[in-house]
Structure formats: C-alpha cells, structure tokens
Amino acid sequence: MAENKRPTYIDFLVSFNNRLFQDYYTPNEQLVYHTLLMINNACLWSEWFYRTDEQLTGVLKISIKAFKNARNSLQQKGAIDYVSSKVRGTCTKYKICDDFCTYQK
C-alpha cells in the first residue's frame, strides 16, 4: 500500500466513530459529517465537491442556522474545510480533511 494513499470511506467512518468516544460531537455535527462523507463518496472522493446550503438542509431536515453551526464546529475541529459561496443559492465548496482520519489498519 502506498504511503500517500487517501483514507477510505470506511477509514473515515471508523475514525469518526472512535472520536465519538473521546470527544463530544452534537447530533447535528454527526449528521452533517456523515452526510458530507456520503456525498464525497458519491463524487468518487474528489478533493473538493460542491453543494448549496439549501440542498444540504433539505436532505438533513435541519434549519440553516443549525446546519451552519454544525459545519463551523466541524471546520474548527479539523474534520472538514469549506469555502462559502458569496451569492445565495450558489454552491459552497467542501473538503473532507484527510488529517482528521486517524484510523490505521
């Protein structure tokens, strides 16, 4: 296995699950992280992928404020990175941070 290989979907899931026993993550943080993982998996693990806030809150069934709070917290914890769009209704750019994944096979 190459040393620079990205973690797999399962690696990210196991790592996050392990973190749940060490640190506190709100239910919304957990929901947002897992949803972003699923989306990035569907995008074949692009470094960056794009979604509107409306698309995500529609899927998540949480308010825009709850979504943004969870997203900001995940960024502060190093789980994700994002660049907000400047125009309402346009896509925000998301990245799952490889360094957040601590799972080692």
Side-chain angles (χ1 to χ4, degrees):
M1 183 183 326
E3 288 210 16
N4 292 333
K5 186 178 178 188
R6 278 194 85 184
T8 67
Y9 183 65
I10 298 300
D11 294 338
F12 281 108
L13 290 174
V14 170
S15 179
F16 191 74
N17 185 60
N18 290 340
R19 287 175 179 273
L20 293 177
F21 293 99
Q22 299 168 0
D23 301 313
Y24 179 74
Y25 292 86
T26 67
N28 285 340
E29 289 170 343
Q30 294 176 47
L31 181 62
V32 169
Y33 186 74
H34 282 99
T35 301
L36 292 175
L37 277 181
M38 288 187 321
I39 292 168
N40 199 12
N41 191 50
C43 294
L44 304 176
W45 294 98
S46 299
E47 183 177 1
W48 291 92
F49 58 99
Y50 302 85
R51 290 294 182 276
T52 66
D53 293 348
E54 291 78 13
Q55 287 172 317
L56 290 170
T57 56
V59 168
L60 299 170
K61 306 295 188 239
I62 60 175
S63 71
I64 191 74
K65 182 179 179 181
F67 169 70
K68 287 183 176 183
N69 286 340
R71 179 179 69 181
N72 290 341
S73 181
L74 287 169
Q75 185 181 45
Q76 291 171 358
K77 292 176 179 178
I80 66 168
D81 196 8
Y82 70 93
V83 178
S84 293
S85 63
K86 302 297 182 206
V87 180
R88 184 181 173 161
T90 59
C91 291
T92 296
K93 183 175 168 180
Y94 290 94
K95 177 182 181 178
I96 303 295
C97 296
D98 289 359
D99 291 343
F100 187 73
C101 182
T102 57
Y103 176 67
Q104 301 292 322
K105 290 184 179 178

